[in-house]
Amino acid sequence: MEDRVSAPRTRAQGGRGAGRYAPSPSGDLHLGNLRTALLAWLFARASGRRFLMRIEDLDRARDSGAGERQLGDLAAIGIDWDGEPVLQTERGADHEAAIRTLARAGLVYECTCTRRDILAAPSAPHAPPGAYPGTCRDRTDAQRAVAREAILPRIPALRLRAPEGVRELEFDDVVLGRTRGDIDDFVLRRGDGTVAYNLAVVVDDATMGVDQVVRGDDLAPSTPRQILLQRMLGLPSPPEVEYGHVPLVLGPSGARLAKRDGAVTLAQLRERGVGSGEVLIELATSLGLGAPGEPVTTARLLERFDPAALPRAPWTWAGPR
Ligand code: GLU
């Protein structure tokens, strides 16, 4: 008999990997957010990973206190996490260091385009729809200085210099299967000085040891850009990092569930007499992990969870029963 065990498939089996949930604190979580968080938790715990929390508070126009309320709501439905939640605004030094690393390698350029400039510019041949047309990509130092002067007091945004001729990238998604998406010279730091989502997410996931990203499938189109950035920064990327993009929740109108659909947050549902236990039952039922009305706990759902049996279609929330 061989006296060795098979090599761990991912870092998680060695006990060091982590999944995460990373809400933007723009208000209370609604049922769609809670369902995504529950799935991220189930995927992480079912694979023996740690589960980490990150509040993506880089955008200033935030509802102060929303982050705390979101954490309270996640705890109320039985989601737990390891360690203290990470605040993205406290991670600026690492974000800037990553931009400097890319800049030293010649992979960053200044962009003075406004949204209107980008829409008005002719798109590059074979470029994916909506891709940055490359207006500022090949400027000389002198041209750049003039352009910078011309937009004062605005400051230029910073863009990634994507590899020449690479317009798309494919990855394996544990929910969607093989998935392809576009790549362009996306923004790393905006003209208002705020670090862009794609850069922050990649740097923070790597620093936190995240090797499993489960999130809403509205973010699947961002993943190729994030993988490109991981590779350019020498950070772990697929297959070492696993991605799973889960179906969104639809509201009664058939569009993506939103706050305007009414009773969609735990606080609103509580006002209608629907407690967090009942919300968990709804979520469990929607995932095929419980029967309508059957009391459940997240621990019980974890015993039943089988990623392969996850419903692939969006779930429609018609309102409280
Ligand atoms: N903060 C993002 C959101 O709330 C999610 C980011 C991610 O999971 O990568 O939409």
Side-chain angles (χ1 to χ4, degrees), residues 39 43 171-177 179 197 213-224 226 243-248 310 312:
L39 281 168
F43 269 97
F171 65 99
D172 284 315
D173 188 289
V174 293
V175 181
L176 303 175
T179 303
Y197 157 68
V213 175
V214 173
R215 55 189 176 191
D217 64 11
D218 55 326
L219 288 170
S222 297
T223 304
Q226 294 173 17
Y243 282 92
H245 290 91
V246 300
L248 291 175
L310 180 70
R312 297 292 200 264

Side-chain angles (χ1 to χ4, degrees), residues 39 61 70 98 115 180 188 193-194 208 245 248:
L39 281 168
Q70 292 180 333
R115 214 175 285 266
R180 64 156 288 284
L188 300 172
T194 309
M208 293 164 72
H245 290 91
L248 291 175

